[in-house]
Amino acid sequence: MAHLSIAEALRQGLREEMARDERVFCIGEDIGIPGGWGGAFTVTLGLEQEFRARMIDTPISEAGFFGAALGAALMGLRPVADVQYSDFLFCAMDQIVNQIGVMRYMSGGKVTVPLVMRAPVGATGRGAQHARNPEAIFYGVPGIKIVCPATAYDAKGLLKAAIRDDNPVLMFEHKSLYGSKGARAESGALDASSDIPDDDYIVPIGKGIVRREGGDVTVIANLLMMHRALQAAEELAAEGISAEVIDPRSLVPFDWELVEQSVRKTGYAVVVEEGPRTGGIGADIAATLAERCCDYLLAPVARVASPDIPVPFAPPMEDYYRPDAARITRTVRQLRDALPA
Amino acid sequence: MSASVDFQLQLYRTMVTIRHFEERVKFLFLEGIMPGTIHQYQGQEAVATGVCAALRADDVITSTHRPHGHAIAKGLTVESIMHELFGKTTGCCRGKGGSMHLGDLEKGMVPAIAIVGGGIPVATGIGLAFNMKQEPRVAVCFMGDGATNEGTFHESINMGAIWSLPVVYVIENNLYGASTPISQTAKVAHLADRACAYGILGVTVDGNDVLAVYHAAREAVERARAGDGPTLLEAVTYRITGHSRRDPCLYQPEEERKQALEREPLCRFATALLAAGVDQVVLDAIMAEVDAEIEAAVRSAIAAPDPRPEDALDGVFV
Ligand SMILES: Cc1ncc(C[n+]2csc(CCOP(=O)(O)OP(=O)(O)O)c2C)c(N)n1
Ligand SMILES: [Mg+2]
């Protein structure tokens, strides 16, 4: 059993999958340069020493190498393509949305696209173009599975599941959770490290997890917001409110059963997301819960999200933009206060 | 072509301003006083300086994730840039942009575009507008060597060429895109050779020689202004600092770094000026003035009030 950060757990997962299956390879910018950084957040650091021919350093050509990854996947290889910041997924949008997401379907189910895409998210003091949480945009694109690990255990397990999946899987990783070290350390980082079993394991795609049990309100949150939700749950407990924190881990497919079960118990649901509120994942969760278990909801589903603005640079404005534990506790209190005792 | 001593001293002042600004900022950043992340310009000063010296005030540039030098050379004040780096409302983007998005359209600089290759279409459109409005203005697109491998490079320069737009596409070839050597991501000997794919002129110049850059840029700008279309101008240089933040540059061979330091543009220009008879006292005086300006900017930036958190909500729409 080793205790690893998310960056280390992902690296170990990649190493094991590449050793296990020679069809697996990595493709991206600055991922295997000797003396370099192992990608923007150290995930692939040193892998080029073991797998030189399967660590493909690309030019800065996102549309090109995402499409190339698709081509290689169609020929039976299992690429792991990454962008340095999720904002650059938009440079490859045609390949991701019009090609990767529809290729299998268009073929009448004849072709498979075993392709993993990795993208760091989160507002971390870099300004508007290195800051997005674009999960909701891709959530609305049919044909792509989406996973969002909040811990090192899940990061490794979901990555392995994604690599072994015969479908395109997009993995969002949070810059503040990587635990990148040395010169690539993030300021304001959180500890998301876990004990990692020595034995091979996967975390199944589509399965959420209850991070903290509670009976009064269900808080649904992933990535950095999951950690903020746990913080909020701790504060709420001191006030006598028992919050159940659910980490869906996957967005597509979504573990509706797990969330529904919890809501049937608590009667209240709060969805937390780091991206903007309008068109967000919270909107879809609220609508779906209304459809599935309206009778059990004692109040409308509440949403905690960012305002509908680009990400500002200055720290006071960025802190205002990004949801935190205080906003979650406030929302939970309001939700319960709104109801006659 | 020769340039007057006064003009050369102006160039020197701009280069010193950029260098000393960057060194001060690096220090502030390492001290933990300055927020965010930074991509610095040390070693490339001759490019922004030489190119912008060939422009008029109402010509317009686009910039990249590495914009501090471009901003200074295009005439933004050190104060407005420093305040922006500190995230103050008094900064050139009111604290909304930060290091990677410096700009001020009133000074002829579009807020810098940190998506690699993202500025190439924008500069092309600025040139298109100048043509449509029949204004004798020129757009300059600064980009790194790495940006020449984005699809936008091809799409945009081709449009600039077929429409004979008044654009100068400037490649700052510092030999690396982040940690990746350009020799690994491009097969051409000179990136300017790519111009032939668009039927336009490509020029490669020593990007550490400010006068050479200035003369090449002036010709390209004159062609553009005269309606003769775009030029692809490659300035070969070197980044003598990290790519960003605390990058130890272990991917750069030591010998290469050493040689690059010997060729770095500021000392080189100072040496040339002294050889041409300029007194060291004159150069020292420029440095002292520049340093005083930078120190004043640091002091006023630290003292300036932070934006209110809810200011974040302003400015999405008109
Ligand atoms: C579309 C896009 N892909 C990747 C990045 C990450 N990134 C930032 S700077 C950089 C290297 C750019 O190299 P170059 O264009 O040569 O400019 P330089 O940094 O050398 O000034 C990379 C890959 C980005 N900002 N945008
Ligand atoms: Mg470069």
Side-chain angles (χ1 to χ4, degrees), chain A residues 4-334:
Chain A
L4 302 181
S5 68
I6 287 188
E8 290 163 343
L10 288 170
R11 189 183 311 140
Q12 192 181 68
L14 283 170
R15 179 184 288 122
E16 289 173 9
E17 289 304 295
M18 288 171 87
R20 191 184 61 80
D21 182 347
E22 61 184 20
R23 296 170 302 174
V24 178
F25 73 95
C26 296
I27 184 165
E29 293 156 15
D30 301 290
I31 60 173
I33 302 289
W37 318 306
F41 296 95
T42 71
V43 169
T44 58
L45 194 66
L47 291 183
E48 79 280 358
Q49 289 166 22
E50 284 162 77
F51 307 104
R52 184 60 277 179
R54 286 193 277 153
M55 295 299 293
I56 305 206
D57 288 300
T58 67
I60 310 174
S61 309
E62 290 81 7
F65 74 79
F66 270 69
L70 168 60
L74 289 172
M75 293 299 106
L77 298 185
R78 305 184 83 83
V80 180
D82 80 273
V83 280
Q84 299 187 340
Y85 292 81
S86 64
D87 313 67
F88 316 153
L89 287 172
F90 297 106
C91 298
M93 210 59 169
D94 170 62
Q95 292 297 323
I96 297 170
V97 177
N98 291 326
Q99 324 298 342
I100 291 168
V102 305
M103 194 56 80
R104 175 176 174 79
Y105 186 80
M106 285 198 308
S107 77
K110 287 186 177 169
V111 305
T112 54
V113 180
L115 167 56
V116 179
M117 299 170 274
R118 300 182 32 243
V121 300
T124 51
R126 291 172 163 94
Q129 295 181 336
H130 289 65
R132 268 179 204 269
N133 282 82
E135 298 93 300
I137 292 171
F138 292 89
Y139 183 67
V141 174
I144 298 170
K145 295 187 180 182
I146 302 177
V147 297
C148 301
T151 68
Y153 180 91
D154 282 357
K156 183 178 174 188
L158 285 170
L159 178 67
K160 287 188 154 219
I163 290 174
R164 296 176 195 182
D165 199 296
D166 278 335
N167 298 290
V169 182
L170 176 52
M171 183 167 195
F172 289 112
E173 302 159 10
H174 203 288
K175 288 162 228 168
S176 301
L177 299 181
Y178 274 122
S180 308
K181 299 204 169 101
R184 307 301 294 177
E186 277 293 291
S187 61
L190 258 78
D191 182 12
S193 57
S194 320
D195 288 333
I196 305 290
D198 295 329
D199 293 339
D200 185 52
Y201 72 95
I202 64 156
V203 170
I205 298 174
K207 284 273 166 270
I209 188 170
V210 176
R211 293 283 180 202
R212 178 187 172 115
E213 285 188 19
D216 294 338
V217 56
T218 303
V219 180
I220 303 149
N222 65 15
L223 292 164
L224 177 65
M225 291 300 117
M226 194 288 288
H227 295 268
R228 298 298 180 224
L230 285 179
Q231 231 176 302
E234 197 66 41
E235 287 168 31
L236 289 165
E239 300 170 21
I241 299 175
S242 148
E244 178 144 297
V245 177
I246 293 191
D247 177 358
R249 300 197 285 196
S250 299
L251 291 175
V252 180
F254 194 87
D255 194 345
W256 293 113
E257 284 71 31
L258 184 71
V259 173
E260 188 179 327
Q261 237 173 43
S262 174
V263 170
R264 280 171 189 263
K265 177 173 69 177
T266 62
Y268 295 92
V270 175
V271 191
V272 190
E273 67 189 302
E274 196 175 332
R277 176 182 169 91
T278 300
I281 286 156
D284 187 61
I285 293 179
T288 307
L289 288 179
E291 288 165 357
R292 290 180 71 119
C293 50
C294 188
D295 294 348
Y296 291 86
L297 282 167
L298 301 174
V301 176
R303 289 179 282 166
V304 177
S306 296
D308 295 331
I309 57 174
V311 182
F313 166 70
M317 293 195 284
E318 196 193 61
D319 291 341
Y320 175 84
Y321 166 87
R322 194 195 311 93
D324 56 12
R327 252 153 83 183
I328 301 170
T329 51
R330 211 180 318 131
T331 305
V332 168
R333 277 187 221 118
Q334 280 166 0

Side-chain angles (χ1 to χ4, degrees), chain A residues 29-30 37 40 59-62 65 83-85 87-89 91 129-130, chain B residues 39-41 44 64-66 100 113-118 143-148 150 171-180 182 239 243:
Chain A
E29 293 156 15
D30 301 290
W37 318 306
I60 310 174
S61 309
E62 290 81 7
F65 74 79
V83 280
Q84 299 187 340
Y85 292 81
D87 313 67
F88 316 153
L89 287 172
C91 298
Q129 295 181 336
H130 289 65
Chain B
H39 299 78
Q40 299 203 288
Y41 203 66
Q44 304 183 202
T64 69
H65 56 283
R66 198 179 301 289
M100 284 199 273
I113 294 173
I115 302 295
V116 170
M143 71 184 94
D145 46 287
T148 66
E150 286 284 11
I171 304 169
E172 296 191 56
N173 184 358
N174 61 9
L175 311 189
Y176 290 85
S179 71
T180 307
I182 186 68
R239 154 169 69 65
H243 168 68

